[in-house]
Amino acid sequence: TIPAPYHFTYPSIGVSAVLSDMLKNLPAAMSFLKVSANYAQVGNGGQFGVRNASYTFYPGAGNGGIGRGTILPIPGLKPELVKSYEFGLESRFINDRIGFMLTWYHSNSTNQLLTIPLPVGTGYASKYLNAGNIENHGLELVVNGTPVKGKDFSWDVQLNFSLNRNKVIKLSDELKSADLAGGDQRSALPRVQEGGSFGDLYAHHWLKNDKGQ
């Protein structure tokens, strides 16, 4: 579905080092220490059949009829692209009885395929649009330990913690917000809007005076 040259390159690179094997002056209680860093690009070729107009045959009287799709095609479709990098730290202590893994990450997603409404006079209900720069960053922490370790019995415990922050940096010059799903006056509507987070819910509320009535 992507225009010529019909191929794209998504590079990635990663490095890591086990410092506990390289450094000889680490504390005696530290049995393992590792650091890592990664960068990657991944892509999505896009939805099939959005670069050209689609037509549907409807059987009927005579020779039937043909109906055109209601979404304006996007001949210059671009692949969705996600650029991400992360840094990690892993360490274990007291002969691996206790340890942790800490990862910090950051990613930006661009060229998402969105649809926006069009005036009725265009002959279409909506059109496709490559837009968006959505940022995600956060951290993940895993703490593990072995409180009891014997010849015939051992007890391992693990605690996980994760935190993610999401922000819509930009959609496009002609689109500042877009609804992700249908809704009515009685329900919240998921929406993506510049400056907000992906999937924020918007809803109506009762109008009140200065006294809160």
Side-chain angles (χ1 to χ4, degrees):
T1 59
I2 298 296
Y6 308 114
H7 63 83
F8 293 88
T9 301
Y10 303 111
S12 64
I13 186 173
V15 294
S16 64
V18 180
L19 299 182
S20 54
D21 291 342
M22 301 169 59
L23 304 177
K24 303 302 181 183
N25 57 346
L26 293 176
M30 182 177 291
S31 52
F32 182 81
L33 180 62
K34 176 182 177 181
V35 294
S36 61
N38 300 279
Y39 173 80
Q41 293 185 12
V42 295
N44 180 8
Q47 182 178 334
F48 175 76
V50 300
R51 294 183 54 232
N52 302 293
S54 60
Y55 297 86
T56 304
F57 173 74
Y58 298 98
N63 295 322
I66 294 178
R68 187 187 62 186
T70 60
I71 304 179
L72 181 66
I74 176 171
L77 175 67
K78 301 177 183 178
E80 180 179 338
L81 183 64
V82 180
K83 299 179 181 180
S84 62
Y85 51 89
E86 67 177 39
F87 300 93
L89 174 66
E90 181 180 357
S91 185
R92 296 194 292 270
F93 305 87
I94 316 174
N95 294 323
D96 299 340
R97 293 290 295 271
I98 187 172
F100 71 88
M101 291 183 292
L102 178 64
T103 303
W104 180 87
Y105 62 88
H106 183 282
S107 68
N108 287 84
S109 303
T110 57
N111 292 338
Q112 284 123 57
L113 188 63
L114 304 175
T115 58
I116 60 175
L118 288 176
V120 177
T122 63
Y124 293 91
S126 58
K127 74 172 183 177
Y128 289 109
L129 180 70
N130 272 131
N133 179 4
I134 300 178
E135 177 187 87
N136 283 278
H137 66 272
L139 59 86
E140 299 175 353
L141 175 65
V142 179
V143 179
N144 52 71
T146 306
V148 179
K149 186 175 183 180
K151 181 178 180 181
D152 300 320
F153 175 79
S154 63
W155 176 30
D156 297 326
V157 294
Q158 188 176 83
L159 176 65
N160 299 320
F161 173 80
S162 63
L163 176 67
N164 181 75
R165 290 293 181 261
N166 172 279
K167 185 176 182 180
V168 180
I169 304 299
K170 182 178 178 60
L171 289 181
S172 74
D173 294 335
E174 57 183 306
L175 180 67
K176 302 302 178 182
S177 67
D179 296 334
L180 300 178
D184 53 37
Q185 302 296 324
R186 299 170 296 175
S187 63
L189 182 68
R191 177 179 297 171
V192 54
Q193 181 168 302
E194 288 186 359
S197 297
F198 186 87
D200 281 345
L201 295 177
Y202 287 77
H204 297 282
H205 61 87
W206 293 104
L207 184 64
K208 298 180 179 180
N209 59 22
D210 295 338
K211 297 181 179 180
Q213 300 172 333

